[in-house]
Amino acid sequence: MNAEYIEQAIAAGLPCEHIQVDGDGHHWFAVIVSAAFEGKRAIARHQMVYATLGSELQSEALHALSMKTLTPTEWAAAREG
């Protein structure tokens, strides 16, 4: 499991404007920007991301993923601030 694989898996299941995954091979952190998150709470956004990684999570190939999920507007504001 590597960052590129995780990014590709998320992008295959969720339309994203930006994805960045960093980690040490065991613990991962992702920043995911998608218009699909608009109007959704953090838990719903995380569930959408987890849904793209279903088989990896079930097999425990990926077991520690922290994430920041943002809409394009939130991402633009975060980059300005």
Side-chain angles (χ1 to χ4, degrees):
M1 181 77 49
N2 61 39
E4 184 177 335
Y5 178 87
I6 296 168
E7 289 175 6
Q8 289 175 353
I10 294 169
L14 186 67
C16 298
E17 291 191 14
H18 175 81
I19 303 173
Q20 180 180 346
V21 177
D22 296 302
D24 61 10
H26 300 286
H27 300 93
W28 300 97
F29 178 76
V31 175
I32 304 151
V33 180
S34 176
F37 296 148
E38 202 69 52
K40 297 197 173 24
R41 293 180 171 185
I43 188 71
R45 295 175 182 195
H46 290 199
Q47 289 170 339
M48 292 169 70
V49 175
Y50 289 141
T52 68
L53 299 166
S55 60
E56 288 80 2
L57 292 169
Q58 289 176 356
S59 70
E60 296 187 18
L62 175 63
H63 60 275
L65 175 65
S66 299
M67 66 184 99
K68 182 177 236 178
T69 53
L70 303 163
T71 65
T73 302
E74 292 166 341
W75 174 246
R79 295 181 72 188
E80 290 175 5

